[in-house]
Amino acid sequence: MKFLRAAITLAVALVLANGFAAGNTLVIGIYQDVATLSPVRTTSAANLRTIVQIVERLFRIDPASGDIVPYLATGWERVDDNTITITLRPGITFTNGEPMNAEAVKFSLETLAVEPTHMNHLGAVERVDIIDDLTVNVVTSIPIPVLPLTLAQFGHVIPPAYYQEVGPDGFAAKPIGTGPFMFESQVPGQSITLVRNDNYWDGASAIESIVYRPIPEDSARISALLAGEIDIATNVPGSQYNRIDNANGVHIASVVGYSAKLGLLDALPGSPLEDPRVRQAVNYAVNKELLLEVLNGGHGTLSTCQTATPQFFGHNPNLQPYPYDPDKARALLAEAGYANGVDVVFKYRVSSGDDELSEAISAMLEEVGFRVEQVLLEGGEFLRQLTALELRHLAVAGISTAPDAIYPLKVWVTGASYSYYSNADFDAAILEAEQTIDENRRRELLHTAAQIACDDPPLLYLFTLEELYGVSDRVIGWNPTPDNWFNFTGVTLQ
Amino acid sequence: MRLGQFIAKRVANTILVVFCVATVTFMIARISGDPVAQLLPPEATQEARDALRTQLGLDGSLGTQYWNFLSGMVRGDFGMSVRYEGQPALTLYMQRLPATAELVVIAVLLSTVVGITLGLLAAAKHGGFIDAAVMWLAAIGQAVPAFYLGLMLVLLVSLQWGLLPTGGRGQWTHLILPSIVLSGSYIALTARLMRTALLDVKAFDFVRTAKAKGLSGWVVWRKHILRPAALPVITLIGLQVGGLFSGAVVTESVFTWPGVGRLAIDAIYARDFPVIQVVVVMSSVIFVVANLVVDILYTVIDPRISYG
């Protein structure tokens, strides 16, 4: 009896000591350790989903429509092809007391423009002219139609005096911004804690603090959610959907992101896939619906012969997915001179969810006459081969960009860093679209390019998987956003 | 004096080993890929790649980089992490070391105490029920993979019964499951080794002589059986300490333990050269030192062994 009592006491003590996610703290289990807290040094969602609670941007992307909406800026206007005027929201200060004004924006954008991480999309920003305390002109060396979108993604505004005082490393160690939360502390590999900014310009959050806990192992992250140790688990694999869906006190939240799964097709000279008919055959041979159903429980949408989803500017609404038609695939192969089959090499990454997908696709290709040699690569090596143009002849990969069709299309322009494709008409449309300011003309050009890339496909078009999150029922009013950063405006905890 | 010479020789050996390990690690890391490719989007221009390479100190020739690495290492400077930009690699390692050390020390204590006890029981009751039970448990302990044991314990103890946290580091309750998983196979190994060693020693002439002299059973056990039987077990513990400091990766992953293993894995995926180098070099130092300690302990325990 005494023993039993002692055992119960111990059990109760253990349960109490476990530290459940409770009270007014939101605990998020993220799949990857946050590598940097400086927005100057990263474009990765894995880091930005923490940073954007602290540092805010000039604009943001409306999650439903994909439109650019005001944030620290109230609006923008195009002066000429190379200049836009941005008007700032008055009365905002950084949490260290510095004013968020034209000078801060000038400093921030000019700092970002010369960083290697941001050179690709902001490098063309030549200078920022201060018009008055709340107005700036952003001048670019070439016309950039997507500049407002870029600023909605990476136009972070940082406090100039503080950044210059502590330097880039100091800022990464303790970032300061205008956001709804402030950096509190970090235990390396273990947690990052943010606390509420009580003076937030858009009204203080109902959540007192947010704790990010990196839990890279999928099953460990989901166990932590089910045990009530965390409130949100990111990156739930499709295979774990039911485990959360069937459990009490937690539910699945999902969103169609700005990303797509695809098969990279090598159309370079000498490849068996150089002939467009062979690449069409690949698209006919693969049963996309079945793959989506089996591998992700149907949680996703089929790509419509373009990787852009309908939220993207320039998405072509007239395109349809290649139907699953193995006979047609066989006929096309025969037309291309491969009636007796053709040898191809198929490369894919280890354990990124791509391996099962790739094996299934290989089997479908074998059905219609491809003889597939599968090559499994480690992630880093896969990336190296991708840009070294060694990923021949097929590879499964993903693409994730801002919601403008120019981004997923322009990577297939002849000679681009990992383009295995060349089509003169496609190149012409994209190159013009890149510098066309007129929206209607730009949309037209993107539609044309997408049509070409459907008929003469550089890709095996697959699908966009839904991003799945496991969420505790005590989190009220939160929806994931397609960029997979977090927005906790209006979220409360029970 | 002889011991002093022995230690001096071993220290010299250690330096050579660490130098070789450092060189091999440096080469393998560089052959394996490019960290810049992972930090920038694939469509990044050559200009951006070059700029980042300069910023990270990866722009010099291989010879220059190697020289910088070696001369830095001598001063205890392993360079800046690539993935955690702006943070010294050694600092990152030292931040994670306490977590791993805590787990390793507890796991070694656990496997030693439990393993030796089980081994003793089995040997003392050789051929009996306890012996069979211990051997059976030991076989299971060695056969069950750590990740499976870990996941099952989480499902049962944390989720089903709600007794212990599923992972992370915090109170002492967080330590229980990971240390069981980490020590599991070593408990089994220690128990088997202890049992075998004891049974071997028991059969030696000097034990029979001691018994014939009329010494009590306890004295025979303590002085003539346990002491020589302890040698292989101590070797095992030494190897275990060295191995666990770098080999707790699986346990650290399953329980989200913020230790060196996790840091190493992330560094390898990101081609974070400085961090890979610091982890491998420090692990080799720990391994070699642990072996040195074992060798010295030998001379203390077994007077027949001397080094010269």
Side-chain angles (χ1 to χ4, degrees), chain A residues 14-26:
Chain A
L14 286 175
V15 169
L16 290 178
N18 284 355
F20 282 107
N24 218 345
T25 295
L26 179 73

Side-chain angles (χ1 to χ4, degrees), chain A residues 14-15 17-18 33 35 41 116 119-120 169 188-190 214-217 219-220 223-224 229 243 378 380-381 417-418, chain B residues 38 42-45 55 83-86 95-96 151 159 162-166 169 171 173 253-254 256 258 262 271:
Chain A
L14 286 175
V15 169
N18 284 355
D33 197 9
R41 282 179 170 163
M119 224 175 245
N120 233 31
D169 293 343
Q190 216 169 325
I215 311 181
E217 200 56 39
S219 64
S223 292
E229 292 165 19
R243 196 175 160 207
E378 181 269 340
E381 174 62 11
S417 60
Y418 57 97
Chain B
Q38 318 225 357
E43 60 271 18
T45 57
Q55 193 173 312
R83 180 163 181 265
Y84 298 91
E85 208 185 319
Q95 282 169 346
R96 304 294 184 93
L151 289 178
L159 289 182
L163 289 182
L164 293 170
T166 60
R169 184 176 178 228
Q171 295 100 336
T173 48
S253 288
V254 172
T256 324
R262 192 70 233 172
R271 302 293 190 273

Side-chain angles (χ1 to χ4, degrees), chain A residues 65-339:
Chain A
S65 64
D67 290 344
I68 316 284
V69 293
Y71 202 6
L72 288 180
T74 51
W76 61 277
E77 214 174 309
R78 196 164 274 283
V79 181
D80 58 47
D81 280 2
N82 292 15
T83 312
I84 63 169
T85 299
I86 295 174
T87 326
L88 301 176
R89 200 179 290 274
I92 298 179
T93 53
F94 293 98
T95 50
N96 68 345
E98 282 185 60
M100 196 292 292
N101 55 16
E103 206 188 311
V105 171
K106 176 182 168 66
F107 175 80
S108 302
L109 294 186
E110 290 183 350
T111 302
L112 291 165
V114 294
E115 272 295 316
T117 321
H118 290 286
M119 224 175 245
N120 233 31
H121 40 268
L122 283 171
V125 172
E126 215 168 55
R127 60 172 202 279
V128 178
D129 295 333
I130 297 177
I131 306 301
D132 62 42
D133 196 43
L134 293 174
T135 317
V136 292
N137 274 352
V138 180
V139 184
T140 55
S141 53
I142 47 167
I144 302 185
V146 290
L147 187 60
L149 174 60
T150 303
L151 294 177
Q153 275 196 296
F154 304 123
H156 309 280
V157 186
I158 53 177
Y162 176 71
Y163 190 86
Q164 281 165 311
E165 184 201 325
V166 298
D169 293 343
F171 192 80
K174 188 178 188 303
I176 286 179
T178 55
F181 292 89
M182 300 184 286
F183 175 76
E184 165 88 2
S185 62
Q186 176 169 24
V187 187
Q190 216 169 325
S191 65
I192 291 173
T193 306
L194 312 182
V195 291
R196 176 168 63 201
N197 171 8
D198 287 321
N199 302 314
Y200 184 53
W201 59 269
D202 200 19
S205 169
I207 302 169
E208 259 168 44
S209 58
I210 306 180
V211 176
Y212 290 80
R213 278 183 51 192
I215 311 181
E217 200 56 39
D218 289 338
S219 64
R221 201 163 57 249
I222 288 155
S223 292
L225 176 76
L226 296 177
E229 292 165 19
I230 59 174
D231 297 307
I232 296 177
T234 71
N235 304 75
V236 173
S239 59
Q240 302 274 341
Y241 188 102
N242 289 332
R243 196 175 160 207
I244 293 177
D245 207 30
N246 296 334
N248 288 325
V250 293
H251 61 273
I252 290 272
S254 66
V255 66
V256 176
Y258 300 139
S259 60
K261 281 275 174 217
L262 52 88
L264 194 66
L265 304 182
D266 167 22
L268 294 176
S271 163
L273 279 70
E274 193 182 351
D275 187 326
R277 286 171 296 193
V278 183
R279 282 175 275 129
Q280 289 167 357
V282 172
N283 276 282
Y284 281 116
V286 174
N287 187 342
K288 283 80 78 177
E289 277 109 337
L290 182 68
L291 290 174
L292 185 58
E293 188 56 46
V294 172
L295 297 173
N296 212 42
H299 306 291
T301 51
L302 287 195
S303 296
T304 51
C305 216
Q306 58 193 323
T307 56
T309 61
Q311 303 134 298
F312 279 57
F313 177 91
H315 168 263
N316 186 335
N318 304 319
L319 297 180
Q320 291 303 321
Y322 275 87
Y324 170 55
D325 189 344
D327 292 331
K328 176 102 181 170
R330 275 183 214 107
L332 281 165
L333 272 189
E335 259 180 61
Y338 297 121

